[in-house]
């Protein structure tokens, strides 16, 4: 095992590794030190305080988590013998894996060759076909000229997708409904991909409409054994960004799930994969067909729902196989159901724009079947430089109904006040009550369609929400001042700085408000709200 692990990530991802390492130490393993690689905006962040060692990468504006020279210097200077990347940043960059190998640091993930084989969309599809993974009709390689693209499209059939092999994050993709659109889009897509990703290579594949997004969680030891631990359903998405994830998929039967898991294991073994990976598919319930999408050669944000349904710690497993350990015995069995929602500092009524700020109040849920993964604490600041994640709230139940009920309860019990910002809490609560979520019929385009129809956009009780948030923040500050008064009074010099009616800046639906709260009775408050500018 390792003695010092550098965390090439931040926030909630960093805390996930810190918790796993602490548990290993508590179980009697050799103690492992953690190194938080951080930027200037996170100098006082929770994950930096919780790590054993902090290493300053410099200003966030310089994007040091993506700068291999900066990361190489950091790994050498902090004395790490391993690097854990989680998700995002360099998690799927084979050049970083090669850097680690060159300087004698163990990369806790797959080797660069496996990453390249599965990260190339065309190459991965060819390998998938070779080992019997279901693949939708496609061009079976790059379409290097417009003429070859038109010929391939005639074989595949419209509608189809024109994709850049180096694309990602929803970019480098065009939906094509006919030959005229293909002629118009071919050169433009290729040129855009070349500018954005350094490669203009494109290919074609059949468009699967009304599809569900399902994915298989895999852990492999690089020594011939791969376990597919479960099939997640991540169909509730907004513009290809996941909002709610669950496991197992409510639309697949046991035979279908077993088929997907077996194909994912074959794919991992074929490339000698070591570490955690996710094999993603589209599934069309109407014709019961699967279409291979891609392989994410890293841990996924939504991995906790698999951990809850299997009782298997994926991060500890990453450390185990990276250190040369084998997967022995039988794979864990799935039991029950788990659902995860992402609580973000973003404004649903401003097209989910990031809404950063200082966390003035943070009360996270607990109770039976609830797990919360977070990387922030009350008083921390959600920086504008990185993602807006506050926490992942995960509910587990004996069945889907119990898990969904627990998640509703947990989200309702969550209380977050961000000075100058807002969260997507009300949107998630509204989402969990929608009939299409309750009956598991929502496909990948559902949120965007219903918001276009005016659903999932609420303007009710705005003043009440602002008043409640203001009172929560007021009471929180009053508790702090009361504790300070009692602490200083015990020393003979009582001090208090409580200011009745102190203004609090909040945002709702993109508009800034100044809220003043004064307590006028045991459970009575006077609240003044002044609207500002968006």
């Amino acid at each position: 095992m390792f003695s010092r692990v550098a965390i090439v990530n931040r926030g909630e991802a960093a805390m996930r590794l810190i918790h796993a390492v602490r548990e290993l130490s508590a179980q009697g393993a050799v103690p492992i030190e953690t190194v938080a690689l951080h930027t200037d905006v996170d100098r006082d962040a929770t994950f930096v305080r919780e790590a054993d060692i902090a290493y300053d990468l410099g200003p966030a504006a310089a994007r040091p988590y993506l700068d291999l020279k900066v990361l190489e210097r950091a790994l050498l200077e902090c004395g790490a013998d391993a690097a854990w990347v989680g998700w995002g940043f360099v998690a799927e960059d084979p050049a970083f894996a090669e850097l680690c190998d060159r300087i004698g640091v163990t990369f806790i993930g797959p080797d660069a060759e496996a990453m390249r084989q599965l990260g190339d969309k065309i190459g991965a599809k060819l390998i998938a076909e070779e080992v019997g993974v279901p693949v939708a009709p496609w061009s079976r390689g790059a379409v290097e000229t417009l003429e070859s693209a038109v010929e391939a499209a005639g074989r595949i059939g419209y509608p189809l997708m024109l994709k850049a092999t180096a694309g990602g994050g929803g970019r480098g993709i065009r939906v094509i409904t006919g030959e005229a659109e293909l002629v118009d889009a071919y050169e433009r897509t290729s040129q855009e991909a070349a500018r954005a990703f350094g490669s203009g290579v494109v290919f074609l594949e059949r468009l699967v409409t009304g599809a569900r997004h399902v994915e298989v969680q895999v852990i492999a030891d690089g020594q011939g054994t791969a376990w597919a631990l479960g099939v997640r359903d991540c169909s509730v998405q907004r513009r290809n960004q996941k909002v709610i994830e669950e496991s197992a998929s409510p639309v697949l039967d046991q035979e279908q799930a077993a088929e997907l898991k077996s194909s994912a294991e074959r794919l991992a073994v074929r490339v000698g994969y070591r570490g955690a990976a996710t094999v993603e598919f589209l599934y069309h319930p109407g014709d019961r067909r699967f279409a291979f999408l891609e392989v994410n050669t890293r841990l996924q944000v939504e991995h906790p729902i698999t951990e809850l349904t299997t009782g298997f710690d994926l991060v500890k497993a990453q450390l185990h196989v990276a250190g040369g350990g084998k997967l022995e015995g039988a794979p864990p069995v799935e039991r029950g159901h788990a659902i995860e929602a992402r609580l973000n500092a973003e404004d649903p009524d401003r097209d989910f724009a990031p809404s950063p700020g200082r966390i003035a109040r943070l009360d996270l849920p607990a109770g039976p079947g609830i797990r919360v993964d977070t990387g922030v604490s009350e008083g921390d600041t959600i920086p504008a430089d990185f993602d807006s994640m506050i926490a992942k709230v995960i509910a587990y139940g004996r069945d889907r109904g119990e898990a969904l009920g627990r998640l509703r309860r947990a989200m309702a019990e969550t209380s977050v006040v961000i000075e100058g910002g807002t969260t997507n809490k009300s949107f998630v609560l509204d989402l969990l009550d929608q009939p299409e979520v309750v009956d598991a019929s929502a496909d990948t385009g559902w949120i965007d369609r219903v918001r276009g129809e005016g659903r999932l956009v609420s303007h009710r009780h705005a003043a009440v929400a602002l008043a409640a948030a203001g009172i929560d923040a007021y009471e929180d500050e009053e508790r702090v001042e009361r504790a300070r008064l009692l602490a200083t009074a015990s020393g003979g010099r009582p001090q208090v700085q409580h200011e009745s009616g102190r203004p609090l800046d909040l945002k709702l639906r993109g508009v800034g408000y100044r809220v003043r709260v004064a307590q006028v009775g045991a459970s009575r408050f006077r609240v003044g709200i002044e609207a500002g500018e968006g």
Side-chain angles (χ1 to χ4, degrees), residues 343 359-366 372 376-378 390-391 393 409-418 423 425 429 465 468-476 479:
L343 180 65
I359 303 174
R361 181 184 177 92
L362 182 63
D363 286 336
L364 295 171
V372 179
V376 297
S377 305
E378 194 168 289
I390 298 170
V393 181
R409 186 263 298 173
M411 290 301 299
E413 291 177 356
T414 300
S415 180
V416 186
V417 176
I418 299 179
T423 77
K425 172 188 168 179
L429 280 171
I471 290 170
D472 278 348
Y474 176 93
E475 291 184 319
D476 190 50
R479 279 193 293 271

Side-chain angles (χ1 to χ4, degrees), residues 126-154:
L126 292 171
I127 296 172
E129 288 183 324
E130 177 189 325
V131 298
V133 176
V135 178
W138 70 299
S139 56
R140 303 210 72 250
V143 285
E144 298 177 348
T145 65
L146 176 58
E147 291 71 23
S148 63
V150 171
E151 189 274 330

Side-chain angles (χ1 to χ4, degrees), residues 384-448:
D385 306 81
F386 298 109
D387 69 75
S388 58
M389 174 78 75
I390 298 170
K392 298 182 306 198
V393 181
I394 311 106
Y396 174 81
R398 292 166 298 177
D399 53 35
R400 187 173 187 268
E402 184 173 62
L404 197 56
R406 283 177 167 171
L407 184 57
R408 288 194 194 99
R409 186 263 298 173
M411 290 301 299
E413 291 177 356
T414 300
S415 180
V416 186
V417 176
I418 299 179
E419 292 182 348
T422 188
T423 77
N424 67 336
K425 172 188 168 179
S426 60
F427 173 77
V428 172
L429 280 171
D430 196 6
L431 195 63
L432 292 173
D433 282 333
Q434 297 299 310
E436 294 90 341
V437 172
V438 175
D439 67 15
S441 64
D443 60 43
T444 55
W446 172 76
I447 285 182
D448 296 328

Side-chain angles (χ1 to χ4, degrees), residues 40-112:
D40 56 344
V41 299
D42 280 333
R43 192 167 289 126
D44 299 318
T46 296
F47 78 96
V48 178
R49 299 195 304 267
E50 293 291 329
D52 298 299
I53 300 168
Y55 182 97
D56 195 336
L57 295 172
R63 306 177 72 192
Y65 286 116
L66 300 175
D67 190 321
L68 297 187
K69 290 183 179 178
V70 171
L71 295 178
E72 179 177 353
R73 183 173 65 249
L75 293 175
L76 291 171
E77 291 183 356
C78 75
D81 58 359
W84 184 86
V85 290
W87 47 90
F89 300 127
V90 291
E92 294 181 279
D93 184 355
F96 180 74
E98 289 173 333
L99 181 160
C100 290
D101 187 56
R102 176 168 53 81
I103 64 175
V105 172
T106 300
F107 176 69
I108 301 174
D111 62 39

Side-chain angles (χ1 to χ4, degrees), residues 272-471:
Y273 196 88
R274 181 194 67 199
T278 300
V279 185
E280 301 196 348
F281 298 86
L282 289 178
Y283 170 66
H284 195 291
D287 55 21
R288 294 173 61 85
R289 289 185 179 273
F290 297 98
F292 169 77
L293 268 179
E294 61 184 1
V295 180
N296 287 311
T297 55
R298 55 173 169 81
L299 197 62
Q300 297 265 103
V301 175
E302 59 272 20
H303 73 276
I305 56 177
T306 299
E307 293 185 326
L308 284 177
T309 53
T310 60
F312 186 81
D313 191 307
L314 281 159
V315 179
K316 289 183 190 176
Q318 283 185 296
L319 294 165
H320 174 69
V321 299
K326 294 183 177 181
L327 297 176
E328 297 177 323
V333 178
E334 297 170 81
R335 291 186 175 87
H337 201 92
I339 309 179
E340 172 182 302
R342 305 185 188 193
L343 180 65
N344 295 328
E346 60 186 19
D347 191 342
D349 293 305
R350 295 189 73 192
D351 200 24
F352 296 87
S355 189
R358 177 183 173 274
I359 303 174
R361 181 184 177 92
L362 182 63
D363 286 336
L364 295 171
I370 299 301
R371 165 176 166 176
V372 179
D373 283 17
T374 184
V376 297
S377 305
E378 194 168 289
D380 284 0
T381 295
I382 303 290
D385 306 81
F386 298 109
D387 69 75
S388 58
M389 174 78 75
I390 298 170
K392 298 182 306 198
V393 181
I394 311 106
Y396 174 81
R398 292 166 298 177
D399 53 35
R400 187 173 187 268
E402 184 173 62
L404 197 56
R406 283 177 167 171
L407 184 57
R408 288 194 194 99
R409 186 263 298 173
M411 290 301 299
E413 291 177 356
T414 300
S415 180
V416 186
V417 176
I418 299 179
E419 292 182 348
T422 188
T423 77
N424 67 336
K425 172 188 168 179
S426 60
F427 173 77
V428 172
L429 280 171
D430 196 6
L431 195 63
L432 292 173
D433 282 333
Q434 297 299 310
E436 294 90 341
V437 172
V438 175
D439 67 15
S441 64
D443 60 43
T444 55
W446 172 76
I447 285 182
D448 296 328
R449 291 198 304 273
V450 299
R451 280 180 65 82
E453 298 165 0
R455 289 168 62 190
L456 290 173
V457 180
S458 176
H459 297 280
R460 297 176 298 166
H461 312 310
V464 174
L466 285 166
I471 290 170

